[in-house]
Amino acid sequence: MSVSSSPVVGMAGARPLVIGLIVTVIAGGVGFALARRAKTVATPVAVASSSAVPVMVAGASTVTGVSSVAGASDVSPTPESVRAGIPTVGGTTAAEREVAKRLLLTRSHASDPQAWVNLGDAVMQLTRERADPHNVGPAESAYRYALTLKPNQAEALTGMAWVMGNRHQFEESKEWARKAIAARPDESGAYGLMGDAQLERGDYDGAFETYQKMLDIRPDLSSYSRGAHLLYVTGDTAKAVWLMEKAVKSGGPFAENTAWCRGQLAEMLFSTGGVLPAESQVKEGMKTAPDNPFLLVMDARIKLAKKNLPGAIASAERVVSVAPQHVAGLILLYDLYRRAGETAKAEGMKAQVETAAVHYKQHGNADQLFLAKFYADHDLKLSDALLIVNDRTANGTKELTAPNDADISAWVFYKNGMSKEAEKYSKMARSKGGQDATRLYHAGMIAAKDGYLQEARLMLYKALSFNPNFDPIQADVCAQTLAGLAGKAVGNDRVAKH
Amino acid sequence: MKHALRLAATVAAGFLAGMPCVLAPLSAYASSHSDAPLIKLDPQANLTDVYAFVGDSANGKVLNIVVNVHPFCEPGDGAIYDKFSDDAIYSIHIADPNTGATLRRYDFRFSGPSAGLKNPNTILSYGLGTQAGAIQSIGDSHQNYTQTYSLTSMSGSSATLLGSNLVTAPPNVGLRTTPLYNDQVATINGSPNPNYGFAVSGATSDATLDPYTKQAVKSLDNGVRVFCGMRDDSFYADIPGIFDLLDPRILKTLGKASGSDGTGVDGFKGYNVLTYAVQIPLSQLPAAVSYTPVFAGAFGLSASPTTGVGVYASVSRPRVTLRSAVGAPVSSGPYIQVNRLGNPLFNEALVALKDKDNYNRDSPTVDATKYATYALNSELATLINTVHGTNFVTTGRVDLQAVFIPDVLRVDTTTDAVTLAGQSGFSRLGFIGGDTVNSPGGTRNAGWPNGRRFGDDVVDVALTAIASGPSYSTVTLVSDNIAANDQVYNQVFPYSATPNAGTRNRKDSY
């Protein structure tokens, strides 16, 4: 899980769209294909995300032959039990209003599975906006009830794939998506969720194929943004930016959808050093979604890059205020307080990070790698970090084919003095995707520790050149380590290790 | 597997239609390695890059000026190896930032092939002088040939000799001849060191410089320091990809947006250049001149004017060279400027072919009348529009004029020392990447076009400016997809990285 982005925000929800002629462009800029579709798709698409933190749901039986999550209690949802689980909402945001509206409609259309699917979708959207996993369970109940009314209801099956993806239960998510596609072969949202799961597991080839199907069926914000995100994680930032801009122009039903795309755009630009271009995206996004946690996180990072530490702290505090479970926001604020010398406040944030981790775990998120990275970054509880990583590695490398996961593992191994393992997973992390400052930094630190000083110098230098603001704390460590390597292995100064 | 997402479209038509044209504007993006037809025929006089930035030193705040010449020096080009021309004057001009008029000039003149030669009866210039073996210090018995130089300061017609018989650093022949440049650790933890024999760079103090470089840095009177010798080519860009019909690894944008994803290939990696450099205490500079910095008042930068100097480089050769069937050529007559360089990219990417050689002969004082049109009416923007279907502004580019006319690097000498590549806060994109520097007049851009530092990504900054200006209502990041040099720069004078080794370098062996 990336701690640099929202733990709950997905890749943008898709909504019914009418599709016309689609001319397609082959990535790489050398060829084009033409595809024609004309279809109205009414699908609640949602998305797992590269940083989604799953929430354990109450209630999960095997409705369609797919195993439910462990610990589920709402085995046989009823209209009453579903409604009872729906969070009480105000009418502040569009998502809140949508939940209230869809809840009402389940009373007038109680026998219509689509009404329950729509309710589930609205609740999932609420989850995205609040970065709070509590509501995934109620959404799952709504989907499951829809399936009791119509076992092969494609949208409900897709909703279940969304729920599972949100919990980082990617195999389950794929299985639900397969069911949805079997029920309706042009269920574009299911392709999206299938691709999301493939992406999260590091199966980039599979994700490209699956997203392509989604793009062919329905080119819109949801499919564009997914494609953009995949291009980004596989190293084609330039085209990713271009495609994400198309996603923004396509628009979505909720301000959050576009805000997420703006946030992604900002992150892409920021990751290659473009602070001002990233700032433009954030400012634009905040016009319609001023309290979007993802945008606020980017706003804080940009302000820090522009040497405005108080402003960065204010933005990060706003993140934590509007989304108290927002892990990236909590960790960022911890780092910013440390930079500001606000030790007591930093300790408070550390406690909140750990509380959030417990919270997610209690709600079904078995993915605690973000906590392992947090510990490793700050030399805290390194043995606990190692336990988390070992728990993942014990499941085999299949769990670690995603570069970010492998990189976090490498970093934790490094911090625990396990050089061989650190090197192995660092190589794995860099075997896919494009250059990434954090991965280069980790690799450089590992190389330095192992005595490969030339490698270390180059990787640390390139990390800083690629994005000097890749981390509020670690970027400085990177520069200090690079400086410390000066003169080593020069002339007669045969320093094998530092 | 090659991934291909097939997407939508309107952009596609424009891109396809213009594809073949894409080479024209971008082929010139080599800073100044291939700037004009005539100078291409004279590599020893062909300037490639000028760097000028404010730094700290034991002598207080200084202006560092580092000039590279001779593109694509082959590190393994034995047995003679490249050296400075002995009948050229290599100059650094301190100029008026507004007019381009030279206020002071520093002239470097180098010795010829005979002077400094210990043993004419061998084929080797390095590794065998009066004895065979590795060079341990410049000019020792193992170094047969040592090029020397003098430095003269010119103010008007007044000349002051600042130093003479100064030694240049030797080329990096390889581990066996010039070992002190290179990584000598053969094994690490019992395994072969993959970088054994490669140049080592990244010094952060004089003490951590390699011994040859350290020895070649000479301190003159009044805190002035100088260096000459072969160094790594500090410029980075994907020129090969640009030339090969715009290989998709660069400028993959189909629309207007872009970013740098590191998939470009540094066409200069592993190559060397010849470098001449001077570090001048600010107190020793001509009086600073008031000027308005580029982007003043925008992007959080101070709106107030500041003071500083302009910097550019030139190379001049004698008017007449008489070749002889029985002896060495003889040069005579006044010196004629054959190349000049201030900002990166101007002559290469903006000036049309008909004027490129003229530009090299001229002084920056005529830029406003003769060459401003090339900045104001950017053909590069026009060509990109044709190719990509973009809508970049092609005329009235006063923003580009402010950068390039007159074509001198304008350095704000009121600022604190700027950050250096490898240090916290350094951004290759300068203020676009949030990298600013304080001055009494407020916040200033830390990188090009406020002077130029090692590591400043001038290609990305220039492309971004072309895409975003002149209004800059939004900043569109455009990149050639190469974001770092192949070697780590030094953080002390002469700043450029250690020369690549002839036997092992990132061009041939890696």
Side-chain angles (χ1 to χ4, degrees), chain A residues 170-194:
Chain A
F170 298 117
E171 291 306 313
E172 289 84 351
S173 181
K174 281 195 283 188
E175 194 55 37
W176 283 105
R178 282 192 198 98
K179 293 278 183 186
I181 292 166
R184 197 169 71 197
D186 62 356
E187 171 63 21
S188 70
Y191 286 108
L193 289 157
M194 172 88 74

Side-chain angles (χ1 to χ4, degrees), chain A residues 22-30 32-33 204-205 208-209 211-212 215-216 219 224 227-228 230-231 234-239 241-243 245-246 249 269 272-277 280 305-307 434-435 450-455 457-458 461-462 464-466 468-469 475-476 479 482-483 486-492 494-497, chain B residues 1-9 11-12 15-16 19 180 182-185 188-189 191-195 198-204 208 210-211 236 248 252-263 299 421-429 431-437 474-475 477 481 483-489 491 506 510:
Chain A
I22 308 161
V23 183
T24 60
V25 178
I26 293 176
V30 293
F32 301 86
Y204 294 152
D205 289 350
F208 267 97
E209 287 183 17
Y211 283 161
Q212 184 61 59
L215 280 160
D216 290 345
Y224 289 153
L230 179 58
L231 288 166
T234 53
D236 195 345
T237 306
K239 197 171 285 118
V241 167
W242 170 76
L243 189 52
E245 286 191 335
K246 283 185 69 66
K249 286 175 185 166
L269 295 163
T272 58
V275 173
L276 292 187
S280 297
K306 295 181 76 174
K307 303 172 181 150
Q435 291 197 45
D450 289 348
Y452 292 92
L453 306 186
Q454 291 271 62
E455 296 289 336
R457 281 189 193 92
L458 272 176
Y461 155 68
K462 288 190 174 182
L464 290 168
S465 187
F466 208 63
N469 305 296
D476 285 350
L482 179 60
K488 303 287 176 67
V490 175
N492 293 318
R494 293 164 182 262
V495 181
K497 296 198 174 186
Chain B
M1 171 182 177
K2 181 171 176 56
H3 299 306
L5 281 178
R6 300 184 305 277
L7 306 170
V11 214
F15 181 76
L16 259 188
M19 182 89 181
L180 306 186
N182 303 312
D183 190 339
Q184 299 179 61
V185 179
I188 298 172
N189 303 330
S191 300
N193 175 7
N195 288 294
F198 281 77
V200 173
S201 197
T204 54
T208 52
D210 69 85
Y236 57 90
K252 286 181 265 192
T253 57
L254 303 183
K256 65 177 182 180
S258 183
S260 182
D261 54 25
T263 53
F299 310 115
Q423 294 179 342
S424 286
F426 173 89
S427 170
R428 64 190 171 85
L429 301 173
F431 75 98
I432 298 171
D435 189 0
T436 55
V437 61
T474 60
V475 178
L477 185 63
N481 284 317
N485 190 38
D486 60 310
Q487 277 220 59
V488 183
Y489 301 115
Q491 294 181 23
R506 289 184 170 73
Y510 198 42

Side-chain angles (χ1 to χ4, degrees), chain B residues 94-407:
Chain B
I94 307 297
D96 184 313
N98 299 306
T99 66
T102 296
L103 304 173
R104 182 186 298 164
R105 198 178 76 223
Y106 292 89
D107 287 346
F108 295 73
R109 295 175 188 239
F110 294 86
S111 62
S114 301
L117 191 65
K118 294 184 177 71
N119 178 4
N121 300 312
T122 172
I123 62 169
L124 297 179
S125 295
Y126 308 97
L128 175 62
T130 55
Q131 290 182 302
I135 296 169
Q136 298 297 329
S137 65
I138 297 177
D140 70 9
S141 60
H142 302 149
Q143 184 169 349
N144 193 18
Y145 177 72
T146 304
Q147 188 168 36
T148 60
Y149 66 100
S150 66
L151 177 64
T152 304
S153 170
M154 300 290 298
S155 294
S157 58
S158 170
T160 304
L161 181 66
L162 299 180
S164 61
N165 204 30
L166 305 165
V167 294
T168 62
N172 188 354
V173 178
L175 193 61
R176 293 161 64 84
T177 303
T178 47
L180 306 186
Y181 275 135
N182 303 312
D183 190 339
Q184 299 179 61
V185 179
T187 60
I188 298 172
N189 303 330
S191 300
N193 175 7
N195 288 294
Y196 181 56
F198 281 77
V200 173
S201 197
T204 54
S205 64
D206 291 343
T208 52
L209 276 173
D210 69 85
Y212 307 125
T213 304
K214 194 164 26 182
Q215 191 181 343
V217 173
K218 296 296 181 187
S219 294
L220 308 177
D221 291 343
N222 299 319
V224 173
R225 297 204 300 165
V226 289
F227 171 87
C228 291
M230 194 177 283
R231 306 302 288 175
D232 166 63
D233 189 339
S234 42
F235 185 67
Y236 57 90
D238 192 348
I239 295 304
I242 290 169
F243 271 100
D244 189 18
L245 295 175
L246 195 59
D247 187 294
R249 72 191 184 201
I250 56 164
L251 285 177
K252 286 181 265 192
T253 57
L254 303 183
K256 65 177 182 180
S258 183
S260 182
D261 54 25
T263 53
V265 176
D266 180 6
F268 303 89
K269 72 177 179 182
Y271 285 104
N272 293 327
V273 289
L274 298 171
T275 294
Y276 61 103
V278 61
Q279 183 181 71
I280 310 165
L282 296 186
S283 59
Q284 298 297 312
L285 286 173
V289 177
S290 178
Y291 71 101
T292 301
V294 179
F295 302 123
F299 310 115
L301 301 175
S302 171
S304 65
T306 189
T307 60
V309 296
V311 174
Y312 74 99
S314 68
V315 180
S316 302
R317 285 193 178 281
R319 182 185 298 276
V320 176
T321 298
L322 184 62
R323 304 198 186 282
S324 167
V326 295
V330 176
S331 297
S332 61
Y335 279 83
I336 305 298
Q337 180 177 301
V338 295
N339 198 198
R340 73 158 158 132
L341 181 62
N343 284 286
L345 311 173
F346 181 61
N347 198 20
E348 297 78 5
L350 297 177
V351 177
L353 277 168
K354 66 178 182 180
D355 270 337
K356 285 181 182 294
D357 290 330
N358 294 329
Y359 167 92
N360 277 337
R361 289 186 280 260
D362 278 335
S363 159
T365 53
V366 303
D367 287 350
T369 54
K370 293 181 71 173
Y371 306 110
T373 182
Y374 293 117
L376 283 165
N377 306 293
S378 170
E379 186 190 12
L380 184 54
T382 303
L383 292 168
I384 293 175
N385 286 345
T386 304
V387 171
H388 290 283
T390 49
N391 195 29
F392 299 160
V393 178
T394 57
T395 58
R397 294 302 301 260
V398 291
D399 56 323
L400 300 180
Q401 182 187 38
V403 172
F404 291 111
I405 304 299
D407 188 16

Side-chain angles (χ1 to χ4, degrees), chain A residues 102-149:
Chain A
R102 295 299 177 185
L103 189 59
L104 275 177
L105 285 172
T106 61
R107 297 188 185 280
S108 57
H109 298 73
S111 59
D112 180 0
Q114 189 61 48
W116 296 95
V117 169
N118 291 342
L119 176 61
D121 291 348
V123 175
M124 286 299 283
Q125 179 60 33
L126 196 64
T127 299
R128 290 170 57 92
E129 293 192 358
R130 292 183 175 180
D132 186 341
H134 274 103
N135 300 323
V136 179
E140 180 187 9
S141 294
Y143 294 132
R144 287 190 181 278
Y145 185 68
L147 290 169
T148 66
L149 297 173

Side-chain angles (χ1 to χ4, degrees), chain A residues 299-313:
Chain A
D299 189 52
R301 296 184 70 191
I302 289 163
K303 283 175 173 160
L304 182 64
K306 295 181 76 174
K307 303 172 181 150
N308 178 6
L309 180 57
I313 288 174

